[in-house]
Amino acid sequence: MQVRSKKFFIETFGCQMNVVDSERAAEQLYQSGYEQCQDISAADVILFNTCSVREKASEKMYSRIHAIRRLKKEGAFVGIMGCVAQIEGKKLIERFPDVRLVVGTQAVGNLKRALGKLDGGEEFVVDVVSPNLARFDGVDVRRRLDKYVAFVTVMEGCDKFCTFCVVPFTRGRERSRSPESILSEMVRLSQQGVKEVHLIGQNVNSYGLGRRIEGKNRLSFAGLLSFLAARSDIPRIKFTTSHPRDFSSEIVEAIETWPQLCPWVHLPLQSGSDRVLAAMNRGYTCKGYLQKVAMIRQSSRRISLTSDIIVGFPGETEQDFIRTLDMIREIKFDSLYVFKYSPRPHTVAAKWPDTVSDSEKTARLQELVKVQQEVQSEVWREYLGKTLKVLVEGKSVKSENHWTGHSMCHKVVNFESSSDNLEGVEVTVKVDKVNPHSLFGTHIH
């Protein structure tokens, strides 16, 4: 009689770091004899990999736990991973009867052991220990969500302690991975057909600056970029996220030197007011940020620049907000991610009066988005008639007649082509049309 293998389902909320953690979790579940499924009602283990950087992401996860009660099969249990697990710990077991497993951000590598304890009869397992060790588990390419694009962690944690940010409390202090370990993973990915790697970390250009470094070979982030570009055979290398405090001209020089380093920088501004930036403990002024932008703009390559903005931070006045709008008009970001401030557990700002009403936050967000749309339309029109290299990810969700992918400068590009199968192929596309959030063109070759 054939024994039916147990199945697992993973749903991921939040950033690229969580995507990587989900892939690491899947690796351990496979090693424990589980098979992955896409039908939540067929799963024996349902894992939610959570984000607590913003209140909305946490609330979405809580809603999902309630919603699946009528979907999950009898005997199945829920596991919570990620930032919410790290913060809430055993409280999640007490709050949700279906939750039997809570695994924090630094305990993903212990998942296989935790499952063994549950199989051995333990009622629940909570593992939210934060040893701040440099542990970076590899992932088989078969467990990755994309066959041609992979996220590779170069560092974890953050030492900046911005007053609004929960990351130091959920991900711990900065820990850098050895250059040799990163290179080894990228070489393996190249051999397995991966065409684009995103080097990720909470603050990638803080790489190598902290005290916790795996191995003895210490490089700056710019040095790491050159080291990997010279040796990995990956045709496209991107990185995110950068912190303005540590962003250097050497990073721009590396992008200029190595064509496989994609011309895209994500550099969160957060506010256009020096007063608010100081309250956020960001460690730079608007003038300092503009100097970083000037370094990027003066590059011999056209580097795409994207950013984050928080509206409604405690104490933000109308004048502070106007200064932010002025900065957006001056810098002309290629795209922008805008969020309403929400207090997060353990952060300094959570203790301050939330002086901006939710309705005012919404109004400011809508006005800022409108300004950015005007700026973005102007910036993106520069691409009309030009050609871009696009890594094809598959068919467009809106039309079976169109293909979609990302350019080297990290723009979504949809295009027409008569070719039967372009998935995983880098093609040249001539841009014919600018849409609000994507470019459209024609396949040249």
Side-chain angles (χ1 to χ4, degrees):
M1 180 178 176
Q2 187 176 5
V3 179
R4 182 187 67 84
S5 63
K6 291 185 287 188
K7 293 181 169 59
F8 71 93
F9 172 93
I10 296 184
E11 187 167 338
T12 306
F13 302 84
C15 67
Q16 297 98 326
M17 301 295 289
N18 277 13
V19 172
V20 171
D21 283 347
S22 289
E23 292 174 340
R24 293 170 60 203
E27 180 74 37
Q28 293 194 53
L29 283 154
Y30 276 107
Q31 292 175 10
S32 300
Y34 286 80
E35 292 181 0
Q36 190 165 7
C37 67
Q38 303 304 317
D39 181 2
I40 202 167
S41 64
D44 300 282
V45 177
I46 301 165
L47 286 178
F48 292 117
N49 193 1
T50 61
C51 173
S52 64
V53 171
R54 296 175 189 90
E55 187 176 30
K56 190 174 182 180
S58 301
E59 291 175 348
K60 185 177 180 181
M61 186 275 297
Y62 293 139
S63 298
R64 282 291 284 148
I65 294 177
H66 286 295
I68 65 161
R69 286 181 175 174
R70 58 183 177 81
L71 298 175
K72 75 182 189 70
K73 70 180 185 181
E74 186 177 352
F77 69 86
V78 176
I80 308 297
M81 297 169 50
C83 296
V84 173
Q86 188 68 42
I87 289 176
E88 297 295 334
K90 191 177 179 181
K91 293 178 184 177
L92 293 168
I93 301 284
E94 299 165 351
R95 180 174 178 180
F96 301 103
D98 298 326
V99 174
R100 294 182 58 203
L101 177 64
V102 178
V103 177
T105 54
Q106 295 186 49
V108 178
N110 302 333
L111 182 57
K112 186 177 179 180
R113 187 194 315 161
L115 290 168
K117 290 181 179 180
L118 292 175
D119 289 340
E122 293 197 22
E123 185 179 355
F124 60 84
V125 174
V126 177
D127 188 349
V128 292
V129 175
S130 301
N132 272 321
L133 298 176
R135 178 173 178 173
F136 302 94
D137 302 325
V139 178
D140 191 301
V141 73
R142 293 172 296 174
R143 317 299 184 226
R144 295 185 179 273
L145 299 177
D146 192 302
K147 289 189 293 184
Y148 305 105
V149 179
F151 298 116
V152 172
T153 306
V154 300
M155 65 169 296
E156 284 201 10
C158 182
D159 291 349
K160 298 297 185 287
F161 287 92
C162 299
T163 56
F164 59 83
C165 186
V166 74
V167 166
F169 306 100
T170 59
R171 291 279 177 181
R173 305 300 294 273
E174 290 176 1
R175 308 177 301 284
S176 295
R177 185 179 181 184
S178 74
E180 294 81 9
S181 172
I182 300 166
L183 175 62
S184 177
E185 182 171 357
M186 290 179 65
V187 168
R188 186 171 67 252
L189 290 170
S190 176
Q191 293 169 346
Q192 294 171 336
V194 168
K195 305 292 181 62
E196 178 176 297
V197 160
H198 291 233
L199 306 175
I200 63 171
Q202 269 73 36
N203 297 311
V204 288
N205 45 24
S206 301
Y207 175 85
L209 297 180
R211 291 183 291 109
R212 300 170 182 86
I213 301 175
E214 182 186 75
K216 297 180 180 179
N217 188 1
R218 184 186 288 261
L219 293 175
S220 67
F221 184 61
L224 177 70
L225 290 174
S226 296
F227 176 83
L228 298 174
R231 295 167 175 83
S232 70
D233 288 333
I234 293 288
R236 295 160 63 118
I237 300 173
K238 297 178 179 178
F239 59 87
T240 188
T241 293
S242 293
H243 193 295
R245 280 172 60 178
D246 298 324
F247 190 84
S248 66
S249 59
E250 288 78 15
I251 296 173
V252 176
E253 290 168 7
I255 294 173
E256 291 174 333
T257 302
W258 300 98
Q260 58 268 62
L261 295 180
C262 294
W264 165 54
V265 171
H266 185 71
L267 197 68
L269 170 62
Q270 303 301 8
S271 175
S273 161
D274 283 344
R275 194 182 66 82
V276 174
L277 288 174
M280 289 178 167
N281 192 36
R282 290 293 286 171
Y284 55 85
T285 62
C286 291
K287 180 180 179 181
Y289 186 91
L290 288 171
Q291 289 171 345
K292 308 284 184 175
V293 172
M295 289 191 313
I296 294 168
R297 298 294 193 219
Q298 290 164 8
S299 170
S300 58
R301 298 178 73 182
R302 199 293 191 188
I303 299 176
S304 175
L305 181 62
T306 61
S307 193
D308 297 338
I309 297 288
I310 295 172
V311 298
F313 187 76
E316 182 187 72
T317 65
E318 181 67 23
Q319 192 58 43
D320 292 324
F321 177 65
I322 290 172
R323 291 192 180 100
T324 299
L325 294 180
D326 290 341
M327 283 283 281
I328 291 169
R329 292 188 181 100
E330 180 178 356
I331 295 170
K332 300 186 186 300
F333 292 108
D334 286 71
S335 63
L336 199 60
Y337 301 90
V338 186
F339 309 97
K340 292 194 293 185
Y341 169 78
S342 59
R344 309 314 299 135
H346 309 302
T347 61
V348 172
K351 302 172 185 177
W352 299 343
D354 199 354
T355 57
V356 185
S357 67
D358 188 65
S359 60
E360 182 59 29
K361 289 177 186 176
T362 300
R364 290 179 186 180
L365 184 144
Q366 290 172 342
E367 185 175 357
L368 196 151
V369 168
K370 182 181 178 182
V371 170
Q372 173 58 25
Q373 286 173 339
E374 295 168 356
V375 168
Q376 187 167 309
S377 177
E378 176 188 343
V379 172
W380 285 34
R381 280 198 296 270
E382 298 173 10
Y383 289 91
L384 281 173
K386 295 184 179 179
T387 59
L388 293 174
K389 293 288 187 182
V390 178
L391 179 60
V392 183
E393 295 160 11
K395 290 283 190 178
S396 169
V397 294
K398 294 185 177 180
S399 172
E400 272 295 313
N401 299 321
H402 299 154
W403 296 88
T404 189
H406 278 83
S407 65
M408 293 277 282
C409 58
H410 207 58
K411 289 178 173 57
V412 175
V413 181
N414 300 305
F415 62 94
E416 294 179 309
S417 176
S418 58
S419 299
D420 292 332
N421 186 13
L422 293 173
E423 188 174 325
V425 177
E426 187 177 64
V427 300
T428 302
V429 174
K430 181 183 177 184
V431 178
D432 304 319
K433 181 182 177 183
V434 175
N435 295 319
H437 302 291
S438 64
L439 301 172
F440 187 85
T442 306
H443 180 198
I444 303 299
H445 57 79

